Every structure is written in structure tokens, then in C-alpha cells.
Amino acid sequence: MRRAPSSGAAFVALLLFLFGRVRCSPEYSLGRSSSPATDGLCALLIRPSGYPCSEHTVETKDGYLLAIQRIPHGRNTLKGKPGPPVFLQHGLFQGGDTWFMNSFEESLGFILADSGFDVWVGNVRGTRWSHGHTTLSVYDKAFWDWSWQELAQYDLLAMISYVYSVTNYKVSYIGHSQGTIMALAAFTMPDMVEMIESAALLCPISYLDHITSSFVLRAVFMRLDEMLLSMGIHQLNFRSDTGVQIIDSVCDGHVDCNNLLSSITGENCCFNMSRMAYYLEFEPHPSSTKNLHHLFQMIRKGTFAKYDYGFWGNLLRYRSLRPPAFDLADVPDSLPLWMGYGGKDALADAADVQHTLEELKSKPELLYIDNYGHIDFILSVKAKDDVYGDLLRFLKSRGCSSSY
């Protein structure tokens, strides 16, 4: 007989049932097929807030069709020449909506547009806002055969190249969590970095040696990633029944999931829990089990390297027994970097941030906030004063002036 779900998993299931508008249809849980003109991020979240917004589709080298949104100026700005381009890249199990979830006075995407920037919003493969693949169905195993390595090498390169070609300006990059893993890997590639004006990394991750998340550490200990792959589960969708059962299996009797968010990300000082129902209308987004497996490889091995296929698989793909590392020393010291991180972050631990800093040739500008957790940097009701003021100062001081 199946045991009753733990209180944490039951709480998540209840929230998703009551507030998340869970749909098992392909349009949400497995990728979008409806028109972005009526059901895209612009139509559902950005334009209703009073901002101009257009939808764009970009094809990656390996055939994925990604959605990008453009907010060329703020609510009260007369239509004219757009300001300097800024590209926003979300984290794991998130989409471009994450930059617009609070009020226009509190959300970074809106703040940047109102500050005179030409805001572009990225959405990686598999998320609600992106548009599938040129040949693969979302029901195909091959559709989910990717990790953050492909997100850096294909998705990010395609999206930044598109913004660069449309605007004819170098792009200022802002990423959070997985968006920083993608960036740090991509910035080791000359073709990418020549299109980047500057980069701001919120909760930067390249190493995960000192992760303290009780939920994640339990999942790593269980070898959850390997079990899911062996069971043929290649899509991770926590809006589905299977996703809730996965959460249940990690929480049950081992992790206190009464506050599931804190169990995963660490304590967040300024996250507005009263808006949880609204957040769950848009998140979490799907990702791939292979992506989770790659992240767990980083935790187990203490490396910032390409996906490990095992000895024979590595020989076939990389011509070496071990997957090649991404060398942070290859990130040019001429690229201006800014990093914001917190003392309560259980995923981007301060010790791992220091490890990253030691391997970079440059000296990034740093903002450390002792009581901030992983989610505070994008959803804190105080982030405008605590974080975004310093971030805007950095952008403008590095040639990204809103008076283009």
C-alpha cells in the first residue's frame, strides 16, 4: 500500500491544484502549440501591465524553436529609438515570466524598461513559452536529450546572436542561477563573448561543492537523477502527478518540506508568500532529467565540466575518458562582470562563488547581501533598493547608457 504523501509534498500538490491551474495538455506541460499572439508571455503578462512587447522566435543549431520577448521601452516613454539592449536569462524550472512576477516597481524586467533599456527576454527549450522543435515531438525521448551544456552552446548563442543582429549593438547580459551557469560556460567561447557588452550574474554558479540545500542533497544521496533516467522519465514537470510524486519521494520522512521553497533554495528574507498563488500560475516550467543529472554530476564530482557520458561515451564525444572542463580563465578579463550573491543561499553558496572568483582572470564587481537567499535576488519586494540600484549603476558605468 502506498504511504500517504509527506506534508511538504501534499502542500505543493494542494497549491498546484488550487492555484496552479494545472493542465496536462501538451500546450503547457509539454511545450506550446498555441499562438504567442494570444497565449504568449507578452499577451498574458507584459502588455496587460502597460508595456509594449513583441514576440520573436529563434531556431537553434539543433532545431529547437525558442521564444524571445522584446520590451523596447517603458510604460511612459514615447515611441522612438530603443535604448541599449539588455538580455535577461532565467534559471532552472523558470521561464521569462520570472522577471515580471512582482509589480512594475519591483520587477527587474519592468525596472529596466522604465530606465530606458531595450529589454530582451530569453526562454530556453522545454519551457512553456518556447515552441518545440522543427522535427521532434515533445513526446519523443530525443526532445529532452539535453542539459545546461546545450543551453549554453546552442540556446544562448542563438538568442544572443539574434538580439545582436537585430539591434546592431553589443548586448548586456543578466542571468540568474542556471542562467549564470549557461553564461559562464558560453563566455569561454570567443564567438559568444564578442557580442557581450557586460554581464551581471545573480546567484552565480559554476561550482556546487558547498551546496547546503537539504532537499537537493537528499535527492543527490538517493541518486534520484539516475533512478529517473533508468525508469525512462526524461522530462521533469513538477506540475504533473509524476512531478508531485517525485517531490513526495524526496520529502517523505527525510526532509522538512513544510516550507518547500526554503528546503530547496535556502531561507529567503523578503519573498512575498502572499503572491504564491499568482507565481504558481506561471511556474514551475519543465526541464529535462538529463539537465538535473548534469547538475548532480557537478555536486558529486566538484567540477564545472561538460556532461559525463561515462568512459566510452566520453571517448566517442570528447576523445577523452573524462568530460572536458569549462576553463573560467578563458573568460576574457576585458569583459566587465558584476555578481550579486547572498549569505542565506543554499544553492549558490558563498564558498562556491569564491571558487569561481579565484578562477576568473578578471575582478568582478561584487554585491553581497548577508540575509538574501536564492529567490530574493529576483522576487524580493526589497530587491529594487537592495540589488537593482547597484545593478543599474554597473550597467550605465560600463557603456550601457540609456541615452544611446
Side-chain angles (χ1 to χ4, degrees):
M1 182 178 295
R2 186 180 181 275
R3 290 180 293 176
S6 69
S7 58
F11 174 67
V12 172
L14 180 62
L15 280 177
L16 290 172
F17 179 75
L18 293 177
F19 303 124
R21 300 181 183 175
V22 177
R23 292 184 282 169
C24 295
S25 64
E27 285 79 16
Y28 196 157
S29 63
L30 296 175
R32 291 170 29 82
S33 61
S34 55
S35 170
T38 58
D39 197 30
L41 180 54
C42 285
L44 294 181
L45 188 58
I46 299 174
R47 287 198 209 104
S49 298
Y51 291 80
C53 187
S54 58
E55 296 276 356
H56 303 255
T57 300
V58 177
E59 182 178 340
T60 67
K61 183 179 179 180
D62 54 348
Y64 288 86
L65 301 173
L66 312 179
I68 301 178
Q69 292 78 34
R70 184 185 193 181
I71 304 95
H73 56 78
R75 293 186 306 157
N76 301 316
T77 305
L78 294 176
K79 185 177 181 180
K81 183 181 179 182
V86 176
F87 184 86
L88 302 177
Q89 183 55 56
H90 62 78
L92 180 65
F93 300 124
Q94 295 179 316
D97 48 87
T98 196
W99 305 104
F100 306 95
M101 297 295 280
N102 286 338
S103 70
F104 60 83
E105 297 99 340
E106 297 171 342
S107 299
L108 181 57
F110 292 140
I111 291 171
L112 288 166
D114 286 333
S115 298
F117 293 95
D118 182 9
V119 180
W120 296 77
V121 184
N123 300 272
V124 301
R125 61 187 68 185
T127 56
R128 172 183 180 181
W129 310 117
S130 286
H131 309 302
H133 192 277
T134 54
T135 60
L136 296 172
S137 162
V138 291
Y139 297 104
D140 293 334
K141 172 184 173 181
F143 183 90
W144 301 98
D145 186 18
W146 49 266
S147 76
W148 60 259
Q149 178 178 324
E150 284 73 28
L151 302 185
Q153 294 179 329
Y154 298 136
D155 290 25
L156 195 55
L157 181 60
M159 291 188 289
I160 293 293
S161 297
Y162 180 82
V163 176
Y164 182 74
S165 67
V166 171
T167 63
N168 291 314
Y169 286 111
K170 286 189 174 184
V171 180
S172 287
Y173 181 92
I174 301 175
H176 172 252
S177 191
Q178 179 181 260
T180 71
I181 302 176
M182 293 164 56
L184 288 169
F187 292 165
T188 65
M189 301 185 296
D191 289 347
M192 168 65 79
V193 79
E194 68 182 12
M195 297 183 288
I196 301 297
E197 178 72 32
S198 63
L201 308 180
L202 300 166
C203 310
I205 295 174
S206 62
Y207 292 96
L208 291 167
D209 302 40
H210 296 86
I211 190 171
T212 58
S213 165
S214 57
F215 184 93
V216 174
L217 289 175
R218 174 63 187 171
V220 171
F221 175 79
M222 292 170 58
R223 309 197 84 84
L224 178 67
D225 51 326
E226 296 172 0
M227 286 193 293
L228 294 175
L229 289 172
S230 67
M231 293 167 61
I233 298 175
H234 299 284
Q235 180 203 173
L236 278 180
N237 181 3
F238 292 114
R239 303 181 71 90
S240 67
D241 290 342
T242 299
V244 173
Q245 291 169 5
I246 292 170
I247 293 173
D248 179 19
S249 69
V250 178
C251 291
D252 198 10
H254 300 281
V255 178
D256 180 7
C257 292
N258 287 310
N259 187 338
L260 183 61
L261 184 64
S262 294
S263 298
I264 297 172
T265 69
E267 182 180 349
N268 296 281
C269 73
C270 311
F271 176 78
N272 187 355
M273 287 294 294
S274 69
R275 291 182 63 82
M276 180 64 79
Y278 179 70
Y279 298 150
L280 287 172
E281 290 186 24
F282 297 94
E283 298 184 355
H285 290 253
S287 188
S288 73
T289 306
K290 183 177 180 179
N291 191 28
L292 186 73
H293 186 39
H294 195 176
L295 292 166
F296 282 13
Q297 287 178 353
M298 295 168 65
I299 296 172
R300 295 183 182 113
K301 300 173 183 291
T303 58
F304 181 43
K306 295 185 177 182
Y307 187 86
D308 190 345
Y309 289 93
F311 286 164
W312 292 114
N314 292 338
L315 278 173
L316 288 172
R317 290 169 176 83
Y318 309 130
R319 297 184 180 180
S320 64
L321 294 177
R322 294 181 177 83
F326 287 99
D327 189 352
L328 291 173
D330 289 337
V331 178
D333 57 6
S334 58
L335 177 64
L337 295 175
W338 179 99
M339 295 183 178
Y341 63 111
K344 300 294 185 181
D345 194 333
L347 298 174
D349 188 89
D352 289 327
V353 174
Q354 185 59 41
H355 188 175
T356 299
L357 293 171
E358 291 170 356
E359 294 203 355
L360 289 168
K361 291 189 295 185
S362 63
K363 300 294 182 184
E365 294 188 33
L366 301 176
L367 175 67
Y368 173 79
I369 305 177
D370 186 63
N371 66 333
Y372 260 44
H374 198 72
I375 299 300
D376 283 320
F377 282 89
I378 50 171
L379 292 178
S380 165
V381 296
K382 299 170 59 181
K384 180 177 181 179
D385 295 327
D386 294 343
V387 182
Y388 303 153
D390 193 64
L391 176 52
L392 285 169
R393 176 203 56 77
F394 166 76
L395 292 175
K396 293 177 180 180
S397 70
R398 293 297 178 174
C400 196
S401 170
S402 59
S403 59
Y404 254 39

